[in-house]
Amino acid sequence: MCGIVGGISSSGTVLAHLVEGLRVLEYRGYDSCGVAVAEGGSVTVRRKVGRLAELERVLADGALGQARAGIGHTRWATHGKPSDENAHPHSDGSGKLALVHNGIIENYLELRRELIAEGRKFHSETDTEVLTLLVGREYDLGKSLGDAVRAALARVRGYYAIAVISTGASPALVGARHGPPLVAAQTSDGAWLASDVLALMPHTRDVIYIEDGEVVELSPGKVAITNLAGEPVTRVPLRIEWDAEAASKGGFAHHMLKEIFEQPDVLARTAFDRIASVHGDVAFEGAGWDDALLKRIKRVQVIACGTALHAGMIARYMIEGLARVPVDFDFASEFRYREPCLAPDTLALAITQSGETADTLAALRLARELGAYPASICNAIGSTVVRESEATILTHAGPEIGVASTKAFTAQVVAAFLLAVRLARARGMIDEARGRELLDDLRRLRPRMEGLLSDNTVHRVRAIAERHLKAKGFFFLGRGLNFPIALEGALKLKEISYVHAEGYAAGEMKHGPIALIEPGMPVVVISSTGRVTDKVRSNIEQVKARGGHVIVIGSDADSRSLGDESIEVPEASEWLSPVLNVIPLQLFAYHHALMRGCDIDKPRNLAKSVTVE
Ligand code: M6R
């Protein structure tokens, strides 16, 4: 959730790099931020509640500009409200050491009591300060910073990625990980670490993912990894193929808008090279998706959170419909605590943009323990979920910075479709010709997505959003493959516009929620041509009979003619209609939020990657 950066250099100041790194990572958490640098025999901390701009004002005096080593942090509060005191870095009071942390120290209360009993003073409400004082206590005994960190970590229970800086004969920079991600990189005259590769891109594309239970010591030109016992670990750097430009706004007003418009390219990158037209099949790179394994699979268990779970719900329709394999799905946060029963030969499919979501990761680990085959659909090469999966379909959406997921979602749905076709072919449920037909439909989707992203659609969506700016609440309804799209449309609006929106299965309305419909209430209905179109039309009539104001999104012209307002979506095969239908809903949420003056890329209370429970 929080963003961590750190750097040490033999040839120049690190402060500007730390600030730039925090700017890149601010999307991960943004209620306060800070830096600490080692200079002139002491460690100086500057931190501020609010956005990075506040911290930059504090740093404008230039006093820390010469430092050769430092750490930085942008926070998403877990323990203690956003305030200057609770902002990171935290120091141990000695002026020799400071620490930043992402995660939760679960036994912080007992450790805090122990430290207070020793006469140590606390200045914040955070769990992080406990860890800082523990490291400080070990460091005071004359240990190296690496040894002090290893000794302190032996006392804590919980999840962390940390970076610690100290002064001594020369500055030292150490990181450690158990849970939340941490990546390091070395250059000829420096070494850098961060909670996300994005912040390392200005330095190098060759990065080293730190794994759970590892400590990393950085010095100019060198990254040395050990385990908690201090034994060396060797790891080859991994090359990141995309460049930093991919994470910029590229002329768009917001990352979210840019990411919505990138979707046709994301579809092509995720799907086209994998289509084996001659065989009417899909060829995934890497091991793990071969016929022998897929024939053995008896069930699929999808585990994911938020938007990724909506993609997983669509995966169920696709896999059951095409490959005839039963699919269950669950919120990862529920799965991990409900003592699940998994049938033999279950494929556990984690779907995740970041590959670092704590609940998804824990659920995948549990599924593996229960005997399932761990697999994933993921956007982050090198992430923990990918490393812990036997097989992965990478989504190639590129970095997604907007907190509201858009392009990662469509990429997940496309990947799920590829998987459904692969499973269906491997199990003989569809023949070569049918496979080819399905994959041709997928190829045809790209120009349709481009057409949908026209000025005309944007204009119409914006006008509808404006007409309903003052609405107290919205319903989003859909059936079949487009029921999860209704959930997703509602989630997008809630997240960035802060308006109450409820996604519902249209056929379920009559079992209760229809009581909420009152004259003029906006009800967005997704209706595309397919096996449930007639049913959706009846549901529209039911809402209209109660005075609801119906906005129809989809390819079915009859449904649109029933609506009070509508957005036409190009025709596509029913399996792929969700990929098109979600686009007007993303644009709707975007424009609604924009007109309400909301912070679109950094909505309140949220963070991009939820690496704590
Ligand atoms: O990185 P993940 O895909 O695992 O993230 C899962 C959810 O936290 C994420 O989809 C969240 O719901 C988004 N903010 C939705 O826009």
Side-chain angles (χ1 to χ4, degrees):
M1 324 267 305
C2 310
I4 290 178
V5 289
I8 188 160
S9 164
S10 60
S11 66
T13 167
V14 294
L15 185 68
H17 292 296
L18 297 179
V19 172
E20 280 321 302
L22 292 181
R23 201 181 314 288
V24 171
L25 297 186
E26 207 185 4
Y27 75 107
R28 293 180 69 96
Y30 30 82
D31 55 45
S32 53
C33 50
V35 292
V37 295
E39 191 185 30
S42 66
V43 168
T44 310
V45 176
R46 296 275 172 92
R47 52 194 185 163
K48 207 68 201 141
V49 68
R51 297 284 168 91
L52 183 59
E54 302 297 324
L55 178 67
E56 284 182 285
R57 266 190 275 285
V58 175
L59 296 174
D61 62 12
L64 307 184
Q66 301 313 309
R68 298 277 168 98
I71 52 178
H73 188 265
T74 172
R75 178 173 188 243
W76 186 88
T78 58
H79 292 60
K81 61 184 178 302
S83 67
D84 287 354
E85 296 70 33
N86 290 335
H88 300 209
H90 290 278
S91 66
D92 69 337
S94 68
K96 289 191 202 133
L97 177 151
L99 180 148
V100 292
H101 166 222
N102 178 12
I104 292 176
I105 305 301
E106 288 173 350
N107 58 339
Y108 85 103
L109 277 177
E110 67 191 67
L111 292 170
R112 191 177 163 108
R113 279 193 288 269
E114 175 184 319
L115 289 158
I116 288 173
E118 286 174 11
R120 294 180 195 263
K121 298 264 177 296
F122 282 84
H123 301 96
S124 79
E125 302 156 284
T126 66
D127 50 341
T128 303
E129 199 177 3
V130 167
L131 183 53
T132 312
L133 265 57
L134 282 179
V135 176
R137 183 169 74 180
E138 301 295 332
Y139 192 63
D140 285 347
L141 297 174
K143 294 181 179 167
S144 71
L145 186 61
D147 286 342
V149 167
R150 276 183 284 270
L153 291 178
R155 298 291 319 279
V156 304
R157 263 196 335 269
Y159 305 93
Y160 53 77
I162 58 168
V164 197
I165 190 157
S166 71
T167 60
S170 58
L173 173 60
V174 171
R177 174 188 179 181
H178 180 66
L182 193 67
V183 203
Q186 63 199 45
T187 51
S188 56
D189 58 351
W192 309 90
L193 59 73
S195 49
D196 189 321
V197 284
L198 282 175
L200 300 181
M201 298 301 283
H203 304 291
T204 175
R205 287 188 189 192
D206 296 317
V207 304
I208 300 167
Y209 282 85
I210 307 306
E211 299 208 351
D212 280 356
E214 291 179 350
V215 173
V216 55
E217 298 181 47
L218 297 96
S219 50
K222 190 165 175 217
V223 166
I225 307 174
T226 63
N227 60 20
L228 282 178
E231 294 154 352
V233 173
T234 315
R235 174 122 350 104
V236 181
L238 189 74
R239 175 141 271 244
I240 301 299
E241 295 301 341
W242 41 263
D243 55 29
E245 178 58 23
S248 76
K249 282 195 236 167
F252 285 84
H254 296 95
H255 285 288
M256 181 183 178
L257 191 61
K258 177 182 175 236
E259 288 157 5
I260 291 173
F261 276 84
E262 280 175 347
Q263 292 177 107
D265 290 343
V266 168
L267 158 72
R269 286 203 301 267
T270 302
F272 291 176
D273 284 352
R274 289 164 167 163
I275 295 177
S277 285
V278 189
H279 306 292
D281 205 340
V282 172
F284 291 121
E285 59 288 355
W289 300 112
D290 52 279
D291 283 8
L293 173 96
L294 296 183
K295 275 184 189 150
R296 233 182 39 234
I297 294 303
K298 301 238 166 33
R299 281 194 99 80
V300 175
Q301 172 69 55
V302 171
I303 33 190
C305 304
T307 286
L309 185 66
H310 298 156
M313 292 168 74
I314 297 173
R316 165 150 87 170
Y317 288 90
M318 292 170 164
I319 294 172
E320 292 192 341
L322 293 170
R324 312 302 298 149
V325 180
V327 180
D328 302 303
F329 64 83
D330 210 343
F331 296 105
S333 55
E334 287 299 314
F335 180 87
R336 63 183 291 194
Y337 291 117
R338 75 170 159 79
E339 298 188 38
C341 297
L342 292 186
D345 297 317
T346 292
L347 181 140
L349 183 64
I351 305 184
T352 167
Q353 187 282 128
S354 61
E356 302 293 352
T357 301
D359 286 323
T360 306
L361 184 56
L364 184 67
R365 286 175 178 161
L366 175 62
R368 178 200 278 270
E369 268 167 47
L370 295 173
Y373 177 73
S376 54
I377 292 177
C378 186
N379 196 38
I381 187 172
S383 62
T384 314
V385 165
V386 170
R387 281 183 281 124
E388 298 199 11
S389 299
E390 296 288 339
T392 296
I393 305 171
L394 286 171
T395 42
H396 302 309
E400 189 179 64
I401 309 295
V403 165
S405 184
T406 53
K407 63 175 181 173
F409 171 74
T410 43
Q412 286 159 354
V413 175
V414 167
F417 180 73
L418 294 174
L419 176 58
V421 172
R422 177 79 273 275
L423 265 166
R425 290 290 288 122
R427 301 165 71 87
M429 300 311 296
I430 58 172
D431 62 14
E432 203 173 286
R434 178 70 183 130
R436 205 171 298 126
E437 219 170 79
L438 288 163
L439 295 165
D440 284 350
D441 288 342
L442 187 57
R443 274 198 192 280
R444 280 195 286 270
L445 210 54
R446 186 185 194 183
R448 290 171 198 191
M449 284 173 105
E450 283 166 347
L452 186 56
L453 284 162
S454 67
D455 287 354
N456 182 36
T457 315
V458 172
H459 183 77
R460 285 178 65 87
V461 170
R462 196 190 305 129
I464 296 176
E466 189 166 16
R467 279 196 283 281
H468 299 285
L469 215 48
K470 297 274 179 325
K472 283 195 304 226
F474 288 78
F475 259 117
F476 287 74
L477 306 181
R479 292 184 85 130
L481 284 139
N482 284 299
F483 160 47
I485 293 300
L487 298 178
E488 179 59 10
L491 178 61
K492 288 287 90 87
L493 195 63
K494 282 185 268 211
E495 271 189 301
I496 60 169
S497 204
Y498 318 142
V499 177
H500 183 77
E502 190 148 3
Y504 231 85
E508 273 293 297
M509 285 294 282
K510 57 187 176 291
H511 298 292
I514 202 161
L516 292 170
I517 304 283
E518 46 186 48
M521 180 181 193
V523 180
V524 179
V525 183
I526 299 108
S527 185
S528 277
T529 322
R531 72 193 76 179
V532 287
T533 318
D534 287 349
K535 310 286 170 205
V536 179
R537 285 185 207 137
S538 309
N539 299 138
I540 294 175
E541 299 280 15
Q542 290 160 1
V543 172
K544 284 186 68 172
R546 273 105 194 143
H549 179 98
V550 177
I551 304 161
V552 180
I553 311 274
S555 65
D556 180 51
D558 287 343
S559 300
R560 289 202 306 277
S561 69
L562 291 174
D564 298 287
E565 297 176 280
S566 66
I567 301 288
E568 182 177 349
V569 173
E571 199 65 69
S573 99
E574 189 177 2
W575 300 115
L576 295 168
S577 61
V579 177
L580 295 180
N581 288 335
V582 76
I583 291 176
L585 302 184
Q586 296 167 342
L587 287 169
F588 182 75
Y590 174 82
H591 285 290
H592 200 270
L594 191 65
M595 284 183 262
R596 282 168 54 85
C598 301
D599 190 342
I600 290 179
D601 285 334
K602 300 188 187 93
R604 71 184 181 205
N605 303 341
L606 298 179
K608 182 66 186 165
S609 176
V610 186
T611 52
V612 295
E613 274 199 64

